[in-house]
Amino acid sequence: MAEALLTAAMAGIRVPRPGERVHREECGFSFSGPESEGGLYICMNTFLGFGKQFVERHHLKTGQRAFLHLKRTRKAKLDDGSSGAGDPPKKKPTRLAIGVEGGFEVDSDPFELEEEVKIIILPENAAISRESLALMAPAIRERVTASIEALLSADSASRRQDVEAWDGEVRQVSRHAVGLRQPPTDVRIPPCGWRCSQCDLRENLWVNLTDGAILCGRRYFDGSGGNNHALEHHKRTGFPLAVKLGTITPDGADVYSYEEDEMVLDPGLAEHLSHFGIDMMNMQKTDKTMTELELDMNQRVGEWGAIQESAVQLKPLYGPGNTGMHNLGNSCYLNAVMQVIFSIHDFQNKYVGHMHKIFQDSPADPTQDFNTQVAKLGYGLLSGEYSRAPPESEEGEAENDKPEPEGICPRMFKALVGKGHSEFSTNRQQDAHEFFLHFINMVERNCRSSENPNLAFRYVAEERFHCLASGRVKYTQRVDYMMQLPVPLEAALNKDELAEADRQRRVAEEEGTELPEVVRAKVPFQACLDSFSEPEQVEDFWSTALQAKSVAVKNTRFTSFPDCLVIQIKKFTFGLDWVPKKLDVSIDMPEILDLSGLRGRGLQPGEEELPDIAPPPLLTPDEPKAPVLDESLVEQVAEMGFPREACRKAVYHTNSSGLEPAINWVMAHLDQPDFSSPLVLPSTVGGHKTPDTEPPPEESVVTVTSMGFTREQALRALHATNNSVERAVDWIFSHIDEPDTEVSMDVSEGRSASGTMSETTPAGPRVRDGAGKYQLFAFISHMGTSTMCGHYVCHIKKEGRWVIYNDQKVSASERPRRDLGYIYFYQRDTG
């Protein structure tokens, strides 16, 4: 009977080709896996994995009958007595890593796995063991066995390789190491007694491997470190590699590549050092490595312990809405953002409330469908199925013989949302603010129905330009999802304390003693809000009244207030030397926020608008000029750590006029969603831009129409802006009164922005509006010195109490540090 069923299903059994994806660790619709109660069913034709509750759906939809069933059972390891009595104390981490020697420890698994493998034939649900398979006809046995062996040995998105062995210190061999140019020199570097050749500093010293120059390193965000002389030397000479003196040992040293902007490996380090008389085998460590400095900085700053509430014993929480997310290796930014996203009703309703329909409409491969994977993630976080409290034994201690799964691993979701993205497709740490906007953009592209959860965040900002020369005004509007607040450090309340701390730091550096704890600037929230709303002077403003450049003053206000207001504190910035740094500040963020005074009122009585006349073209037929892109200038900007495509756009849009204009362009556009997208150069013929022959991408059209504009408006705007979604929205606003543009569309929801506005609602994006009074319900915090490293957690207020989500750990918060947050989420106060 079993052989007959398997014979009938043979046509659907394949052997996976090299490189073909095999999902043998996770279901495409749920977080079920081989260790789940029902195990995992792998289709032997499509190689997709399904939990017990979804395998029949796949069978009915595709007709596939043969499935490889994997079931793993945890068994307690036998104690061989070698562990001794009790667990040893945790060691202090000495490297930026998880689950490796010297890194942050992960709880060891006291279990071993027993795996059961068999074939299931549907719809009969017949089970065939490998022993039974061995007794079947050779033709059947060999083909099916080849498929099973290939499925079990194929590369998979392993659950363990991402989370249990992340090493933040894994470095790549520098492309400059092989064939490094070292001209003949008489420079001989002694084994000790070094000092910077420009400022006499004796710590944080780097030797350039090309010319042997000894110079001090970069200045850190808190003012410590060096004076940037090694970096300035590279900018003058272009010499690419430097080694930190004091870290050289027979095992290696800290080697930094300026052009690659990261710590690297130099296989020929011993030979390169011997060029300057340094015998690597006889050197001893006398200075801290960059990793040790980062760890020490985190300890001194103190935000790690404060934000994670390490000083108190936190009570773990379980059940619906209290499911943690495992860190897949620098994925804490994603975990924090998605926990907050699914605490919002619009996203719960869209993806979890309509999950069954989303699953029913999913394509053949659900692992590549955005809506399916978001719904899967939302249900995993909210259902409570993956957050069950361990049972209590009679002695009151949790039993560990058969623990329930703790948290979920968002592998499929992360792989899908990061697919094709230069940053989010990697395992590097990212900016939670940038990921939030990236996710919002993906929701826009994939929401083809009228129900768009982004309406919770979307608002319209009003920008008023006052031309100082003519006295006339211009009003523009733009769609936004996040309010960005600057941090005016000059408004700090503890300036004297900061000055004294800086004095003590300088003394400690001069005397070589331990640096004091960092004193954090205390900036009032109102000062940040005032800095946001104060007038901003705009140079080179094109005045249509004068038909010439002028100076204008810009004010930003809200045309509408969203249901959920997202506020980013602009903590990450650049110093005067363009070195990235994080502002270590404490801001008294209010729980109750009233922004009613920032509502825009539009054109006021007595104001005269600037004429709506387009500025003259920059190019004329008599003076054709092709776009110029100075690649050497692109390289200079890229060396500062910015994405290469963003650097190309910066150089292009500033006409290759120099490094400073390019950097200014980067800073002005740093927060745009398409910041890192490729530069698209318009073609020119005789100085005129040629019309696009290809229609705009459908996903761009969907993104614009999802904001409430018509398809006709979207097509015209994208055509006029070379398919730039962000510029297309601005283009629609600036051409809203033109007869060809003012076509029927969805009107704004809610009341008008001003009682003086006409009763006819003008065409615009679909937004919600209401009172500008809010209550804080969540915030995301960052620990570390830059967005390229560190850790994210989030706090969410549920049922009147704060809950902290720290990757897979979910606990009742005792001391939420609201003043140290990075991104804040407010909901409209309806009370």
Side-chain angles (χ1 to χ4, degrees):
M1 177 66 177
E3 187 169 352
L5 290 174
L6 185 57
T7 301
M10 284 292 291
I13 297 178
R14 295 195 302 118
V15 176
R17 296 184 297 272
E20 197 166 5
R21 287 198 306 267
V22 175
H23 296 278
R24 58 182 172 87
E25 296 289 350
E26 185 180 329
C27 171
F29 293 103
S30 72
F31 291 95
S32 296
E35 294 176 43
S36 302
E37 183 177 350
L40 189 71
Y41 296 78
I42 305 170
C43 176
M44 298 182 74
N45 181 272
T46 63
F47 314 128
L48 295 171
F50 300 96
K52 187 175 182 180
Q53 68 273 43
F54 294 106
V55 63
E56 187 175 353
R57 177 202 299 264
H58 181 72
H59 162 66
L60 295 175
K61 190 172 185 177
T62 64
Q64 300 299 331
R65 300 182 61 193
F67 295 84
L68 185 67
H69 183 249
L70 295 183
K71 180 69 176 78
R72 298 193 190 118
T73 305
R74 289 188 172 197
K75 300 290 185 181
K77 293 179 181 178
L78 296 177
D79 189 358
D80 58 5
S82 61
S83 59
D87 295 326
K90 291 187 176 181
K91 298 178 181 179
K92 178 182 177 181
T94 58
R95 57 191 292 127
L96 291 175
I98 297 175
V100 300
E101 181 66 27
F104 293 91
E105 296 181 11
V106 294
D107 295 332
S108 60
D109 194 345
F111 306 97
E112 55 187 4
L113 299 176
E114 288 187 358
E115 187 172 69
E116 179 185 3
V117 179
K118 57 186 176 182
I119 298 173
I120 302 295
I121 305 296
L122 294 181
E124 294 82 3
N125 203 31
I128 303 173
S129 67
R130 300 184 78 172
E131 291 77 13
S132 300
L133 179 64
L135 302 176
M136 294 184 181
I140 297 176
R141 181 181 68 244
E142 291 173 5
R143 181 173 176 182
V144 176
T145 300
S147 178
I148 293 175
E149 296 299 334
L151 288 174
L152 294 177
S153 61
D155 289 338
S156 174
S158 172
R159 324 179 277 116
R160 305 180 73 87
Q161 67 182 8
D162 288 333
V163 63
E164 291 188 352
W166 167 71
D167 190 344
E169 292 184 66
V170 171
R171 298 169 183 174
Q172 303 299 319
V173 174
S174 171
R175 65 174 183 266
H176 301 289
V178 179
L180 180 70
R181 185 169 63 90
Q182 289 186 301
T185 180
D186 295 329
V187 174
R188 289 295 177 266
I189 298 176
C192 59
W194 315 294
R195 64 176 61 191
C196 175
S197 61
Q198 294 191 25
C199 66
D200 287 340
L201 276 182
R202 295 177 178 269
E203 294 182 344
N204 191 20
L205 298 177
W206 296 74
V207 57
N208 193 286
L209 286 180
T210 298
D211 62 0
I214 298 177
L215 298 157
C216 60
R218 304 191 190 203
R219 182 174 296 276
Y220 305 141
F221 80 97
D222 66 335
S224 62
N227 293 316
N228 301 315
H229 288 145
L231 175 64
E232 293 170 0
H233 180 71
H234 161 72
K235 291 179 179 179
R236 289 193 303 269
T237 63
F239 299 157
L241 299 181
V243 176
K244 186 175 185 185
L245 292 170
T247 68
I248 303 172
T249 69
D251 297 324
D254 273 0
V255 182
Y256 184 78
S257 171
Y258 292 100
E259 292 187 7
E260 293 160 294
D261 193 22
E262 60 184 351
M263 304 300 294
V264 296
L265 295 177
D266 178 6
L269 181 60
E271 180 183 352
H272 293 153
L273 290 173
S274 67
H275 185 72
F276 306 107
I278 299 177
D279 185 355
M280 181 173 167
M281 303 307 296
N282 291 324
M283 296 295 289
Q284 293 183 349
K285 183 174 176 293
T286 60
D287 200 356
K288 293 181 178 180
T289 65
M290 298 306 293
T291 298
E292 291 170 334
L293 287 172
E294 174 72 23
L295 291 168
D296 284 353
M297 180 67 69
N298 294 331
Q299 295 292 331
R300 286 200 302 117
V301 171
E303 61 181 0
W304 286 72
I307 291 175
Q308 295 186 103
E309 305 182 48
S310 303
V312 294
Q313 184 70 34
L314 299 180
K315 177 184 177 182
L317 300 177
Y318 303 95
N322 293 324
T323 303
M325 298 171 69
H326 285 267
N327 194 317
L328 304 178
N330 283 328
S331 65
C332 54
Y333 66 91
L334 179 149
N335 295 349
V337 169
M338 297 314 300
Q339 289 284 8
V340 176
I341 287 290
F342 276 109
S343 71
I344 297 171
H345 173 75
D346 291 80
F347 288 88
Q348 295 175 354
N349 183 62
K350 166 71 178 180
Y351 294 106
V352 182
H354 295 82
M355 181 183 69
H356 295 296
K357 185 177 188 311
I358 291 174
F359 286 179
Q360 183 179 352
D361 297 339
S362 66
D365 186 354
T367 68
Q368 300 302 302
D369 182 60
F370 178 80
N371 289 333
T372 299
Q373 292 308 309
V374 177
K376 167 186 167 180
L377 179 67
Y379 182 79
L381 292 176
L382 300 178
S383 66
E385 288 187 11
Y386 308 97
S387 177
R388 304 177 206 171
E392 296 288 327
S393 65
E394 294 181 359
E395 290 78 14
E397 296 180 356
E399 296 178 349
N400 290 324
D401 292 339
K402 198 173 182 180
E404 295 292 342
E406 182 186 8
I408 58 178
C409 296
R411 294 185 196 85
M412 286 187 186
F413 174 78
K414 183 179 184 296
L416 184 61
V417 297
K419 187 177 181 179
H421 194 280
S422 59
E423 292 298 329
F424 300 128
S425 61
T426 71
N427 279 338
R428 295 192 293 269
Q429 183 63 281
Q430 305 298 334
D431 188 344
H433 149 253
E434 293 181 0
F435 178 76
F436 171 81
L437 294 179
H438 173 70
F439 177 76
I440 291 300
N441 191 38
M442 293 199 72
V443 171
E444 294 288 358
R445 295 204 305 263
N446 287 276
C447 272
R448 301 177 186 272
S449 66
S450 59
E451 184 184 8
N452 187 338
N454 281 348
L455 283 175
F457 301 125
R458 186 188 301 158
Y459 67 92
V460 176
E462 172 191 279
E463 292 182 334
R464 176 185 182 271
F465 296 88
H466 177 211
C467 175
L468 299 182
S470 66
R472 299 187 181 186
V473 297
K474 175 185 178 181
Y475 285 86
T476 62
Q477 292 182 324
R478 59 177 171 82
V479 174
D480 215 332
Y481 297 88
M482 179 180 289
M483 179 185 186
Q484 295 181 305
L485 283 187
V487 181
L489 290 177
E490 64 276 7
L493 300 176
N494 56 337
K495 292 180 181 178
D496 293 342
E497 187 181 7
L498 292 170
E500 175 60 21
D502 185 60
R503 186 193 67 80
Q504 292 180 9
R505 177 190 57 77
R506 290 198 304 270
V507 171
E509 285 182 344
E510 292 173 358
E511 297 178 352
T513 58
E514 183 178 353
L515 293 176
E517 289 189 6
V518 174
V519 175
R520 187 173 289 118
K522 298 178 181 179
V523 179
F525 170 77
Q526 188 60 46
C528 300
L529 194 61
D530 292 343
S531 183
F532 168 84
S533 59
E534 68 182 7
E536 174 187 351
Q537 186 164 302
V538 180
E539 305 289 344
D540 294 331
F541 174 78
W542 179 261
S543 173
T544 55
L546 305 175
Q547 285 295 295
K549 290 184 178 181
S550 174
V551 177
V553 173
K554 183 180 80 170
N555 292 86
T556 302
R557 295 293 185 269
F558 288 85
T559 296
S560 65
F561 286 114
D563 287 351
C564 295
L565 178 66
V566 186
I567 298 179
Q568 178 211 13
I569 304 299
K570 299 180 72 172
K571 288 188 173 184
F572 298 104
T573 183
F574 291 84
L576 296 176
D577 51 6
W578 300 109
V579 175
K581 65 177 182 178
K582 175 183 174 182
L583 302 179
D584 186 34
V585 295
S586 169
I587 300 175
D588 58 333
M589 296 296 294
E591 288 210 51
I592 305 296
L593 177 62
D594 188 353
L595 298 180
S596 303
L598 292 181
R599 183 178 287 278
R601 300 298 176 183
L603 188 67
Q604 296 296 298
E607 290 183 335
E608 185 177 359
E609 282 192 282
L610 286 163
D612 188 13
I613 304 173
L618 297 177
L619 301 176
T620 66
D622 297 330
E623 299 179 67
K625 186 176 181 181
V628 176
L629 197 63
D630 186 342
E631 290 295 344
S632 63
L633 187 55
V634 173
E635 286 292 339
Q636 293 182 54
V637 183
E639 287 171 5
M640 299 183 180
F642 301 111
R644 185 170 183 83
E645 286 300 330
C647 300
R648 297 184 77 240
K649 288 195 287 189
V651 172
Y652 172 75
H653 289 297
T654 56
N655 297 319
S656 300
S657 56
L659 182 61
E660 185 172 350
I663 294 295
N664 290 335
W665 188 95
V666 167
M667 298 303 298
H669 297 78
L670 197 60
D671 300 321
Q672 294 185 356
D674 62 346
F675 177 67
S676 302
S677 61
L679 168 67
V680 179
L681 295 175
S683 58
T684 58
V685 177
H688 292 286
K689 182 180 175 180
T690 60
D692 295 326
T693 56
E694 295 292 331
E698 184 61 27
E699 65 176 19
S700 298
V701 177
V702 171
T703 300
V704 177
T705 56
S706 68
M707 299 180 186
F709 301 109
T710 64
R711 183 175 181 84
E712 291 79 6
Q713 286 178 306
L715 290 171
R716 290 196 64 212
L718 289 167
H719 182 82
T721 58
N722 200 27
N723 296 334
S724 168
V725 172
E726 183 172 340
R727 291 170 53 210
V729 175
D730 292 336
W731 186 92
I732 293 175
F733 276 124
S734 60
H735 296 76
I736 206 71
D737 296 326
E738 294 182 6
D740 292 339
T741 308
E742 193 174 355
V743 292
S744 61
M745 63 178 300
D746 295 330
V747 298
S748 301
E749 299 176 358
R751 65 180 180 83
S752 63
S754 171
T756 62
M757 296 174 66
S758 63
E759 294 181 1
T760 303
T761 305
R766 189 167 65 250
V767 296
R768 298 171 184 165
D769 196 9
K773 296 182 179 180
Y774 293 94
Q775 286 187 341
L776 181 69
F777 74 92
F779 60 94
I780 296 173
S781 305
H782 174 266
M783 295 154 280
T785 56
S786 76
T787 56
M788 305 307 295
C789 63
H791 184 57
Y792 286 97
V793 302
C794 71
H795 287 74
I796 304 176
K797 199 170 191 178
K798 294 189 174 183
E799 299 178 352
R801 68 176 180 184
W802 285 101
V803 178
I804 179 172
Y805 294 80
N806 186 357
D807 287 336
Q808 73 270 27
K809 298 179 181 178
V810 182
S811 309
S813 175
E814 298 290 339
R815 302 172 185 173
R817 290 300 301 268
R818 201 169 69 231
D819 59 318
L820 300 181
Y822 174 43
I823 304 174
Y824 295 84
F825 296 80
Y826 286 84
Q827 59 189 2
R828 198 187 313 279
D829 187 356
T830 57

